[in-house]
Structures are given as C-alpha cells and as structure tokens.
Amino acid sequence: TPKPSSAASDVYKRQVYDYNYYISKYSDLKAAFYGDDTAALRHFVECGMNEGRQAKDSFNVKKYKNRYNDLQNAFGNDLKSYYMHYIGSGYKEGRKGN
C-alpha cells in the first residue's frame, strides 16, 4: 500500500488528523499502530475516513456533514468526501469542523 506523500501527510495532519488523538480515541488502533504514525495515518486515509472515525479534536465528520446541507446534497453518505472537502476548501472557507 502506498504511503501518503509528505505534502499530503502534512495537509491531513494540519486539518483533520493528529496521531496521538487518533490512537488514544480508539483502543483497536492503539493496539495496532502504537508508535507508528505512518501506519496510523495510512489507516485513517484508507479506512478511518470511510468509517467516520475522528482523528483530531477540531474536526468531527458527522457534525460537519450534519451542519451543511449543500455538502449533504453533494456527498450524501460518502464520509470520505466530507473530509476531502474540508481539507481542500471547507477549512479555507471558514466552515466549522465540529
């Protein structure tokens, strides 16, 4: 499985991901990825986003989805799309992440 690029990794970490928060919130992830930020981030991008897991205190995808009707109309229940929207433009637009 390819690793997120360094630039992509930096964007995720600034906007929606914090290693310590992520593994502390989910005991299954702590057991699997403790001490391996790269593997934990890869899990978040490949699985956690689709599962709606919260990886940073300042961004809750379910709250983000519920707050914005325009995004619900565009993305439906595709949770990863909400993360990608927030990272790509929602954050810059000043939309609330939680």
Side-chain angles (χ1 to χ4, degrees):
T1 304
K3 294 180 183 178
S5 72
S6 177
S9 175
D10 290 345
V11 170
Y12 287 120
K13 288 177 180 177
R14 278 195 308 272
Q15 310 300 341
V16 298
Y17 174 84
D18 175 85
Y19 165 78
N20 290 317
Y21 183 90
Y22 194 47
I23 65 160
S24 294
K25 187 165 178 73
Y26 303 102
S27 60
D28 61 325
L29 301 181
K30 189 171 189 173
F33 303 118
Y34 185 76
D36 191 345
D37 184 18
T38 301
L41 177 60
R42 185 169 49 245
H43 176 275
F44 174 64
V45 172
E46 294 175 358
C47 304
M49 286 181 165
N50 291 324
E51 296 168 358
R53 293 197 191 218
Q54 185 173 354
K56 192 164 186 170
D57 185 51
S58 60
F59 186 81
N60 181 310
V61 71
K62 292 169 186 162
K63 289 181 180 180
Y64 189 66
K65 175 186 176 225
N66 291 336
R67 181 172 282 115
Y68 298 107
N69 290 332
D70 61 326
L71 301 183
Q72 291 171 30
N73 292 332
F75 306 132
N77 290 319
D78 180 2
L79 295 179
K80 189 168 187 174
S81 291
Y82 292 91
Y83 284 101
M84 302 313 291
H85 177 272
Y86 185 74
I87 292 166
S89 59
Y91 178 81
K92 294 175 197 157
E93 293 169 2
R95 293 188 189 232
K96 292 184 67 155
N98 61 11

XYZ file of all heavy atoms in Angstrom:
802
model
N 0.845 -1.186 0.000
C 0.000 0.000 0.000
C 0.884 1.240 0.000
O 1.774 1.358 0.835
C -0.876 0.019 1.256
O -1.620 -1.188 1.307
C -1.822 1.195 1.228
N 0.650 2.156 -0.928
C 1.478 3.365 -0.958
C 1.231 4.242 0.263
O 0.122 4.327 0.767
C 1.045 4.070 -2.244
C -0.249 3.464 -2.636
C -0.337 2.117 -1.988
N 2.274 4.867 0.708
C 2.172 5.802 1.834
C 1.666 7.141 1.323
O 1.929 7.506 0.184
C 3.557 6.030 2.456
C 4.144 4.828 3.116
C 5.505 5.199 3.674
C 6.185 3.998 4.284
N 7.509 4.320 4.793
N 0.961 7.876 2.157
C 0.609 9.241 1.750
C 1.889 10.034 1.504
O 2.867 9.864 2.238
C -0.152 9.797 2.957
C -0.567 8.614 3.755
C 0.451 7.545 3.466
N 1.880 10.867 0.474
C 3.060 11.675 0.205
C 3.309 12.611 1.382
O 2.422 12.868 2.188
C 2.862 12.494 -1.073
O 1.928 13.527 -0.838
N 4.514 13.120 1.453
C 4.858 14.022 2.544
C 3.957 15.253 2.552
O 3.469 15.662 3.591
C 6.321 14.448 2.418
O 6.640 15.361 3.426
N 3.694 15.815 1.380
C 2.842 17.001 1.308
C 1.421 16.664 1.724
O 0.795 17.395 2.491
C 2.861 17.580 -0.104
N 0.896 15.538 1.246
C -0.457 15.127 1.627
C -0.514 14.841 3.112
O -1.461 15.219 3.800
C -0.888 13.897 0.828
N 0.495 14.194 3.615
C 0.559 13.885 5.042
C 0.500 15.164 5.866
O -0.218 15.230 6.859
C 1.851 13.113 5.335
O 2.011 12.892 6.699
N 1.213 16.180 5.455
C 1.222 17.452 6.176
C -0.164 18.102 6.177
O -0.596 18.649 7.184
C 2.236 18.419 5.568
C 3.672 18.000 5.828
O 3.893 17.139 6.709
O 4.567 18.520 5.155
N -0.862 18.034 5.052
C -2.198 18.620 4.958
C -3.153 17.887 5.886
O -3.893 18.502 6.648
C -2.727 18.590 3.501
C -4.204 18.960 3.449
C -1.917 19.545 2.634
N -3.139 16.555 5.838
C -4.014 15.779 6.730
C -3.734 16.137 8.179
O -4.640 16.336 8.968
C -3.812 14.270 6.552
C -4.375 13.719 5.270
C -3.551 13.088 4.353
C -5.733 13.806 4.978
C -4.065 12.557 3.175
C -6.254 13.292 3.805
C -5.411 12.664 2.912
O -5.916 12.152 1.760
N -2.467 16.214 8.523
C -2.095 16.463 9.915
C -2.532 17.846 10.379
O -2.916 18.021 11.529
C -0.600 16.257 10.107
C -0.229 14.782 10.038
C 1.258 14.588 10.165
C 1.595 13.118 10.082
N 3.014 12.868 10.120
N -2.477 18.818 9.517
C -2.905 20.162 9.914
C -4.415 20.242 10.081
O -4.910 20.895 10.985
C -2.471 21.191 8.869
C -1.043 21.644 8.999
C -0.799 22.906 8.191
N -1.226 22.808 6.807
C -0.482 22.359 5.808
N 0.747 21.951 6.029
N -0.949 22.320 4.585
N -5.150 19.605 9.191
C -6.592 19.829 9.132
C -7.432 18.819 9.921
O -8.358 19.225 10.625
C -7.084 19.816 7.677
C -6.309 20.696 6.741
C -6.323 22.160 7.127
O -7.157 22.599 7.882
N -5.386 22.917 6.627
N -7.162 17.519 9.766
C -8.109 16.528 10.292
C -7.470 15.358 11.041
O -8.182 14.439 11.437
C -9.007 15.953 9.163
C -9.855 17.059 8.532
C -8.203 15.223 8.111
N -6.155 15.378 11.222
C -5.501 14.210 11.810
C -4.471 14.610 12.846
O -3.666 15.501 12.619
C -4.820 13.393 10.697
C -3.994 12.236 11.191
C -4.578 11.013 11.477
C -2.626 12.356 11.364
C -3.821 9.941 11.934
C -1.860 11.295 11.825
C -2.467 10.087 12.105
O -1.726 9.032 12.555
N -4.517 13.896 13.972
C -3.482 14.019 14.993
C -3.229 12.610 15.515
O -4.142 11.965 16.044
C -3.957 14.931 16.123
C -2.965 14.982 17.258
O -2.029 15.784 17.173
O -3.132 14.205 18.216
N -2.027 12.125 15.328
C -1.680 10.749 15.699
C -2.077 10.413 17.138
O -2.758 9.418 17.383
C -0.185 10.505 15.480
C 0.324 9.258 16.155
C 0.091 8.005 15.600
C 1.023 9.324 17.356
C 0.534 6.849 16.231
C 1.471 8.180 17.986
C 1.220 6.944 17.413
O 1.657 5.809 18.037
N -1.660 11.235 18.077
C -1.941 10.942 19.484
C -3.441 10.914 19.778
O -3.922 10.063 20.524
C -1.229 11.929 20.405
C 0.261 11.723 20.400
O 0.745 10.600 20.451
N 1.008 12.811 20.322
N -4.173 11.834 19.192
C -5.623 11.856 19.381
C -6.245 10.581 18.814
O -7.075 9.934 19.455
C -6.222 13.098 18.712
C -7.706 13.218 18.933
C -8.198 13.913 20.027
C -8.613 12.624 18.064
C -9.572 14.016 20.256
C -9.976 12.714 18.284
C -10.448 13.415 19.381
O -11.800 13.507 19.597
N -5.849 10.234 17.606
C -6.435 9.093 16.893
C -6.223 7.783 17.647
O -7.169 7.031 17.871
C -5.821 9.021 15.498
C -6.524 8.124 14.507
C -7.901 8.151 14.328
C -5.789 7.267 13.693
C -8.529 7.358 13.390
C -6.412 6.465 12.749
C -7.780 6.514 12.605
O -8.403 5.720 11.665
N -4.984 7.512 18.045
C -4.766 6.221 18.717
C -5.302 6.216 20.146
O -5.615 5.161 20.679
C -3.296 5.753 18.670
C -2.388 6.679 19.457
C -2.823 5.570 17.233
C -1.077 6.046 19.838
N -5.402 7.380 20.756
C -5.949 7.438 22.111
C -7.462 7.251 22.113
O -8.024 6.709 23.056
C -5.613 8.775 22.765
O -4.232 8.882 22.951
N -8.126 7.696 21.058
C -9.589 7.622 20.974
C -10.074 6.196 20.692
O -11.162 5.820 21.114
C -10.092 8.572 19.893
C -11.603 8.695 19.841
C -12.023 9.902 19.030
C -13.515 10.027 18.905
N -14.169 10.466 20.130
N -9.257 5.412 19.992
C -9.684 4.077 19.557
C -8.690 3.026 20.026
O -7.563 2.956 19.529
C -9.808 4.037 18.026
C -10.760 5.072 17.491
C -10.292 6.250 16.921
C -12.136 4.881 17.575
C -11.168 7.212 16.439
C -13.023 5.835 17.089
C -12.530 6.996 16.525
O -13.404 7.950 16.051
N -9.117 2.184 20.949
C -8.214 1.187 21.531
C -7.717 0.186 20.495
O -6.577 -0.291 20.588
C -8.879 0.462 22.693
O -10.050 -0.200 22.272
N -8.548 -0.140 19.491
C -8.092 -1.071 18.456
C -6.918 -0.489 17.669
O -5.983 -1.202 17.302
C -9.231 -1.473 17.526
C -9.865 -0.313 16.765
O -9.957 0.809 17.322
O -10.298 -0.527 15.623
N -6.945 0.809 17.452
C -5.854 1.451 16.709
C -4.606 1.579 17.568
O -3.492 1.423 17.074
C -6.287 2.827 16.209
C -7.500 2.831 15.287
C -7.820 4.239 14.850
C -7.292 1.923 14.098
N -4.801 1.853 18.842
C -3.653 1.945 19.743
C -2.914 0.613 19.776
O -1.689 0.570 19.700
C -4.095 2.361 21.143
C -2.936 2.676 22.051
C -3.426 3.300 23.347
C -2.243 3.820 24.140
N -2.669 4.571 25.317
N -3.663 -0.468 19.835
C -3.050 -1.797 19.861
C -2.327 -2.097 18.548
O -1.255 -2.694 18.543
C -4.110 -2.861 20.134
N -2.891 -1.657 17.442
C -2.326 -1.974 16.126
C -1.203 -1.035 15.692
O -0.255 -1.467 15.038
C -3.439 -1.953 15.076
N -1.300 0.256 16.042
C -0.405 1.253 15.446
C 0.407 2.065 16.438
O 1.046 3.044 16.051
C -1.215 2.219 14.568
C -1.993 1.538 13.493
C -3.375 1.627 13.463
C -1.358 0.794 12.516
C -4.114 0.996 12.468
C -2.080 0.158 11.516
C -3.455 0.259 11.493
N 0.400 1.703 17.713
C 1.137 2.489 18.699
C 2.598 2.619 18.283
O 3.266 1.632 18.005
C 1.036 1.854 20.092
C 1.689 2.710 21.151
C 1.047 3.847 21.622
C 2.951 2.395 21.637
C 1.641 4.655 22.576
C 3.553 3.202 22.592
C 2.891 4.323 23.053
O 3.482 5.127 23.991
N 3.075 3.852 18.205
C 4.460 4.116 17.838
C 4.714 4.193 16.345
O 5.835 4.412 15.924
N 3.685 4.031 15.519
C 3.866 4.052 14.063
C 2.896 5.045 13.435
O 1.819 4.679 12.960
C 3.653 2.647 13.499
C 4.087 2.523 12.035
O 4.279 3.568 11.370
O 4.228 1.379 11.573
N 3.292 6.308 13.442
C 2.451 7.383 12.911
C 2.125 7.155 11.438
O 1.001 7.387 11.000
C 3.153 8.723 13.116
C 2.302 9.920 12.686
O 1.072 9.781 12.557
O 2.868 10.997 12.492
N 3.073 6.669 10.658
C 2.848 6.461 9.224
C 1.754 5.429 8.989
O 0.847 5.640 8.177
C 4.155 6.031 8.527
O 5.128 7.061 8.734
C 3.954 5.824 7.042
N 1.816 4.312 9.709
C 0.788 3.273 9.545
C -0.566 3.755 10.044
O -1.600 3.457 9.435
C 1.210 2.000 10.275
N -0.582 4.514 11.127
C -1.841 5.041 11.651
C -2.465 6.026 10.667
O -3.676 5.993 10.426
C -1.620 5.695 13.012
N -1.656 6.890 10.074
C -2.168 7.837 9.080
C -2.682 7.090 7.857
O -3.753 7.414 7.330
C -1.088 8.850 8.681
C -1.478 9.843 7.587
C -2.685 10.681 7.995
C -0.292 10.744 7.248
N -1.964 6.086 7.418
C -2.406 5.295 6.268
C -3.769 4.642 6.587
O -4.671 4.661 5.760
C -1.361 4.247 5.907
C -1.713 3.469 4.653
C -0.566 2.604 4.122
N 0.048 1.803 5.148
C 1.324 1.935 5.567
N 2.106 2.852 5.030
N 1.809 1.156 6.506
N -3.911 4.098 7.789
C -5.196 3.513 8.185
C -6.299 4.563 8.150
O -7.396 4.309 7.649
C -5.118 2.900 9.590
C -6.440 2.391 10.056
N -7.378 3.215 10.659
C -7.007 1.167 9.966
C -8.457 2.497 10.928
N -8.252 1.253 10.524
N -6.013 5.735 8.675
C -7.008 6.808 8.685
C -7.469 7.147 7.272
O -8.668 7.225 7.002
C -6.446 8.044 9.383
C -7.354 9.232 9.322
C -8.594 9.207 9.947
C -6.970 10.366 8.643
C -9.443 10.306 9.883
C -7.811 11.467 8.581
C -9.051 11.436 9.197
N -6.519 7.322 6.352
C -6.851 7.704 4.979
C -7.593 6.574 4.262
O -8.576 6.814 3.560
C -5.580 8.114 4.202
C -5.871 8.321 2.721
C -4.982 9.377 4.813
N -7.136 5.347 4.442
C -7.705 4.225 3.702
C -8.973 3.647 4.336
O -9.816 3.112 3.635
C -6.660 3.126 3.539
C -5.502 3.567 2.667
C -4.399 2.525 2.587
O -4.496 1.463 3.235
O -3.416 2.788 1.863
N -9.098 3.730 5.653
C -10.232 3.095 6.345
C -10.986 4.063 7.251
O -12.215 4.133 7.211
C -9.747 1.915 7.197
S -8.845 0.673 6.276
N -10.247 4.762 8.091
C -10.865 5.595 9.119
C -11.786 6.674 8.584
O -12.842 6.938 9.167
N -11.419 7.288 7.471
C -12.288 8.316 6.890
C -13.622 7.712 6.472
O -14.681 8.267 6.767
C -11.615 8.982 5.691
C -10.522 9.934 6.038
S -9.860 10.630 4.494
C -8.933 12.006 5.159
N -13.572 6.588 5.777
C -14.810 5.933 5.324
C -15.662 5.477 6.493
O -16.888 5.421 6.385
C -14.486 4.743 4.424
C -13.897 5.164 3.103
O -14.273 6.183 2.539
N -12.946 4.397 2.610
N -15.014 5.134 7.609
C -15.727 4.688 8.802
C -16.237 5.857 9.642
O -16.966 5.659 10.618
C -14.798 3.816 9.660
C -14.385 2.530 8.981
C -13.265 1.808 9.694
O -12.740 2.316 10.722
O -12.883 0.727 9.222
N -15.821 7.064 9.302
C -16.241 8.245 10.055
C -15.506 8.414 11.373
O -15.996 9.076 12.279
N -14.314 7.846 11.470
C -13.543 7.977 12.709
C -13.015 9.406 12.844
O -12.640 10.035 11.869
C -12.381 6.996 12.729
C -12.831 5.547 12.809
C -11.685 4.678 13.226
N -11.966 3.269 13.077
C -11.554 2.348 13.948
N -10.846 2.703 15.010
N -11.807 1.077 13.756
N -12.995 9.880 14.056
C -12.488 11.219 14.348
C -11.005 11.093 14.683
O -10.627 10.319 15.553
C -13.249 11.832 15.514
C -12.853 13.268 15.776
C -13.731 13.925 16.826
O -14.707 13.349 17.294
N -13.369 15.139 17.201
N -10.177 11.886 14.013
C -8.737 11.798 14.206
C -8.130 13.100 14.715
O -6.921 13.213 14.839
C -8.055 11.376 12.903
N -8.961 14.074 14.979
C -8.488 15.337 15.542
C -9.648 15.983 16.278
O -10.786 15.947 15.806
C -7.960 16.260 14.434
C -7.207 17.451 14.956
C -6.386 18.122 13.861
C -5.540 19.209 14.476
N -4.579 19.739 13.548
N -9.346 16.570 17.424
C -10.390 17.182 18.240
C -11.168 18.251 17.484
O -12.365 18.410 17.673
C -9.756 17.764 19.511
C -10.801 18.304 20.463
O -11.758 17.569 20.770
O -10.652 19.458 20.894
N -10.524 18.957 16.595
C -11.142 20.090 15.908
C -11.953 19.713 14.667
O -12.523 20.582 14.016
C -10.071 21.111 15.529
O -9.125 20.519 14.664
N -12.021 18.414 14.327
C -12.822 18.017 13.169
C -13.587 16.736 13.455
O -13.010 15.692 13.736
C -11.972 17.819 11.907
C -12.827 17.546 10.687
C -13.427 18.598 10.015
C -13.071 16.258 10.252
C -14.249 18.361 8.916
C -13.886 16.011 9.158
C -14.477 17.072 8.487
N -14.915 16.833 13.369
C -15.809 15.694 13.536
C -16.641 15.605 12.264
O -17.486 16.464 12.006
C -16.695 15.900 14.762
C -17.634 14.741 14.995
O -18.337 14.297 14.099
N -17.641 14.258 16.230
N -16.389 14.586 11.468
C -17.022 14.489 10.153
C -18.540 14.403 10.245
O -19.250 14.949 9.392
C -16.442 13.307 9.332
C -16.889 11.962 9.893
C -16.806 13.443 7.867
N -19.065 13.769 11.263
C -20.524 13.648 11.378
C -21.163 15.006 11.677
O -22.199 15.354 11.118
C -20.882 12.601 12.422
C -20.485 11.207 11.943
C -20.573 10.163 13.007
C -20.001 8.851 12.455
N -19.654 7.921 13.495
N -20.525 15.797 12.521
C -21.033 17.144 12.793
C -20.896 18.027 11.555
O -21.785 18.828 11.252
C -20.289 17.761 13.980
C -20.660 17.123 15.294
C -19.923 17.788 16.447
C -20.295 17.154 17.776
N -19.585 17.784 18.899
N -19.769 17.887 10.851
C -19.542 18.669 9.626
C -20.625 18.333 8.601
O -21.234 19.231 8.014
C -18.149 18.350 9.085
C -17.677 19.227 7.962
C -17.418 20.585 8.155
C -17.431 18.705 6.695
C -16.955 21.397 7.126
C -16.957 19.489 5.660
C -16.730 20.836 5.883
O -16.252 21.636 4.868
N -20.878 17.063 8.404
C -21.904 16.609 7.459
C -23.273 17.178 7.845
O -23.995 17.706 6.998
C -21.954 15.084 7.441
C -23.057 14.524 6.590
C -23.133 13.008 6.745
C -24.307 12.489 5.950
N -25.101 11.531 6.680
N -23.640 17.065 9.104
C -24.965 17.495 9.552
C -25.165 19.008 9.504
O -26.290 19.482 9.400
C -25.242 16.976 10.960
C -25.426 15.473 10.985
O -25.785 14.861 9.980
N -25.151 14.873 12.130
N -24.077 19.762 9.562
C -24.164 21.218 9.608
C -24.430 21.835 8.233
O -25.017 22.910 8.134
C -22.858 21.788 10.184
C -22.872 23.310 10.285
C -21.669 23.865 11.024
N -21.872 23.676 12.451
C -21.119 22.892 13.228
N -20.097 22.262 12.729
N -21.379 22.768 14.510
N -24.010 21.171 7.159
C -24.036 21.816 5.838
C -24.890 21.042 4.835
O -24.482 20.005 4.302
C -22.606 21.983 5.308
C -21.776 22.884 6.202
C -20.789 22.353 7.022
C -22.010 24.252 6.245
C -20.037 23.180 7.862
C -21.275 25.087 7.079
C -20.298 24.538 7.872
O -19.569 25.359 8.701
N -26.078 21.593 4.554
C -26.995 20.959 3.604
C -26.418 20.880 2.196
O -26.691 19.927 1.471
C -28.335 21.700 3.567
C -29.125 21.495 4.840
O -28.988 20.473 5.504
N -29.955 22.467 5.189
N -25.656 21.899 1.796
C -25.088 21.868 0.444
C -24.137 20.682 0.283
O -24.101 20.040 -0.764
C -24.390 23.191 0.099
C -23.225 23.547 1.011
O -23.279 23.222 2.237
O -22.258 24.158 0.527
N -23.413 20.356 1.343
C -22.497 19.216 1.271
C -23.265 17.902 1.308
O -22.898 16.949 0.610
C -21.472 19.278 2.408
C -20.595 20.528 2.447
C -19.585 20.422 3.574
C -19.908 20.763 1.115
N -24.343 17.855 2.080
C -25.175 16.645 2.110
C -25.732 16.353 0.718
O -25.756 15.203 0.280
C -26.325 16.800 3.104
C -25.895 16.833 4.546
C -27.040 17.195 5.467
O -28.201 16.906 5.185
N -26.722 17.841 6.576
N -26.146 17.422 0.027
C -26.671 17.251 -1.331
C -25.591 16.772 -2.290
O -25.869 16.010 -3.210
C -27.282 18.557 -1.849
C -28.544 18.930 -1.089
O -29.242 18.071 -0.569
N -28.827 20.218 -1.025
N -24.371 17.210 -2.087
C -23.271 16.835 -2.973
C -22.695 15.455 -2.655
O -22.354 14.703 -3.570
C -22.158 17.885 -2.888
N -22.579 15.112 -1.371
C -21.823 13.915 -0.986
C -22.661 12.798 -0.372
O -22.155 11.680 -0.199
C -20.715 14.289 0.009
C -19.800 15.366 -0.469
C -19.486 16.429 0.356
C -19.253 15.341 -1.744
C -18.626 17.435 -0.063
C -18.406 16.345 -2.182
C -18.092 17.403 -1.347
N -23.893 13.084 0.003
C -24.726 12.043 0.606
C -24.055 11.443 1.831
O -23.669 12.162 2.745
N -23.900 10.123 1.833
C -23.287 9.428 2.967
C -21.836 9.041 2.730
O -21.292 8.202 3.455
C -24.109 8.180 3.321
C -25.442 8.564 3.925
O -25.524 9.481 4.726
N -26.491 7.873 3.522
N -21.200 9.621 1.720
C -19.790 9.332 1.420
C -18.907 10.154 2.363
O -18.500 11.268 2.050
C -19.492 9.671 -0.037
C -18.055 9.391 -0.430
O -17.264 8.885 0.401
O -17.711 9.690 -1.588
N -18.642 9.589 3.544
C -17.944 10.348 4.588
C -16.568 10.831 4.164
O -16.162 11.941 4.512
C -17.848 9.499 5.860
C -19.191 9.167 6.510
C -18.975 8.312 7.751
C -19.972 10.421 6.844
N -15.842 10.037 3.396
C -14.501 10.468 2.984
C -14.565 11.777 2.190
O -13.686 12.626 2.316
C -13.797 9.378 2.180
C -12.336 9.693 1.924
C -11.574 8.498 1.395
C -10.093 8.802 1.327
N -9.327 7.612 0.953
N -15.613 11.952 1.422
C -15.757 13.189 0.632
C -15.872 14.421 1.520
O -15.393 15.504 1.154
C -16.969 13.101 -0.292
O -16.731 12.152 -1.306
N -16.481 14.274 2.684
C -16.576 15.413 3.609
C -15.194 15.786 4.141
O -14.865 16.965 4.259
C -17.520 15.097 4.772
C -18.957 14.966 4.353
C -19.480 13.726 3.989
C -19.792 16.073 4.314
C -20.807 13.597 3.609
C -21.121 15.955 3.930
C -21.619 14.707 3.570
O -22.927 14.590 3.188
N -14.393 14.771 4.475
C -13.012 15.050 4.905
C -12.259 15.780 3.800
O -11.583 16.777 4.038
C -12.261 13.755 5.212
C -12.613 13.089 6.508
C -13.468 12.004 6.534
C -12.057 13.522 7.707
C -13.771 11.367 7.720
C -12.361 12.888 8.905
C -13.222 11.819 8.904
O -13.516 11.194 10.078
N -12.372 15.248 2.579
C -11.625 15.827 1.467
C -12.104 17.248 1.160
O -11.292 18.118 0.830
C -11.728 14.928 0.225
C -11.214 13.506 0.455
S -9.605 13.389 1.304
C -8.537 14.032 0.039
N -13.401 17.493 1.293
C -13.910 18.841 1.079
C -13.338 19.801 2.114
O -12.885 20.896 1.788
C -15.441 18.874 1.143
C -15.978 20.258 0.990
N -16.156 21.119 2.059
C -16.337 20.938 -0.125
C -16.602 22.277 1.603
N -16.736 22.193 0.290
N -13.364 19.382 3.379
C -12.848 20.248 4.445
C -11.377 20.564 4.217
O -10.956 21.711 4.310
C -13.058 19.590 5.804
C -12.658 20.493 6.954
C -13.449 21.576 7.321
C -11.487 20.259 7.662
C -13.081 22.408 8.366
C -11.121 21.083 8.720
C -11.921 22.157 9.062
O -11.540 22.985 10.095
N -10.597 19.533 3.882
C -9.165 19.720 3.639
C -8.946 20.634 2.430
O -8.111 21.539 2.471
C -8.468 18.355 3.406
C -8.463 17.548 4.700
C -7.058 18.545 2.858
C -8.110 16.077 4.509
N -9.696 20.401 1.347
C -9.480 21.128 0.096
C -10.020 22.537 0.078
O -9.409 23.435 -0.488
N -11.188 22.747 0.717
C -11.760 24.091 0.638
C -12.549 24.509 1.874
O -12.607 25.684 2.182
C -12.636 24.227 -0.609
O -13.683 23.282 -0.589
N -13.164 23.588 2.560
C -14.011 23.951 3.699
C -13.274 24.713 4.780
O -13.781 25.695 5.326
N -12.070 24.275 5.084
C -11.261 24.945 6.094
C -10.966 26.377 5.685
O -11.119 27.309 6.468
C -9.963 24.157 6.318
C -9.023 24.782 7.320
C -9.238 24.607 8.686
C -7.933 25.519 6.903
C -8.375 25.164 9.621
C -7.063 26.094 7.837
C -7.289 25.911 9.181
O -6.446 26.470 10.104
N -10.581 26.559 4.412
C -10.258 27.902 3.902
C -11.496 28.791 3.832
O -11.393 30.005 3.938
C -9.617 27.782 2.519
C -8.273 27.121 2.525
C -7.754 26.921 1.115
C -6.642 25.906 1.112
N -6.459 25.277 -0.180
N -12.666 28.180 3.634
C -13.922 28.926 3.566
C -14.409 29.325 4.945
O -15.390 30.056 5.073
C -15.009 28.082 2.900
C -14.767 27.791 1.444
C -15.717 26.740 0.878
O -16.618 26.245 1.633
O -15.557 26.392 -0.282
N -13.747 28.839 5.992
C -14.147 29.154 7.347
C -15.299 28.297 7.864
O -15.948 28.657 8.848
N -15.535 27.164 7.210
C -16.588 26.273 7.691
C -16.143 25.638 8.993
O -14.965 25.337 9.180
C -16.907 25.204 6.650
C -17.543 25.755 5.397
C -18.009 24.635 4.499
N -18.445 25.095 3.205
C -19.620 24.772 2.664
N -20.461 23.997 3.315
N -19.939 25.197 1.471
N -17.094 25.412 9.887
C -16.789 24.820 11.191
C -16.559 23.326 11.041
O -17.366 22.636 10.404
C -17.938 25.077 12.163
C -18.072 26.554 12.544
C -19.131 26.747 13.572
C -18.669 26.105 14.852
N -19.251 26.637 16.068
N -15.499 22.836 11.648
C -15.146 21.425 11.550
C -15.758 20.553 12.614
O -15.659 19.336 12.543
N -16.365 21.160 13.614
C -17.009 20.331 14.646
C -18.163 21.081 15.291
O -18.477 22.163 14.942
C -16.007 19.853 15.705
C -15.342 20.986 16.451
O -15.732 22.130 16.348
N -14.338 20.639 17.209
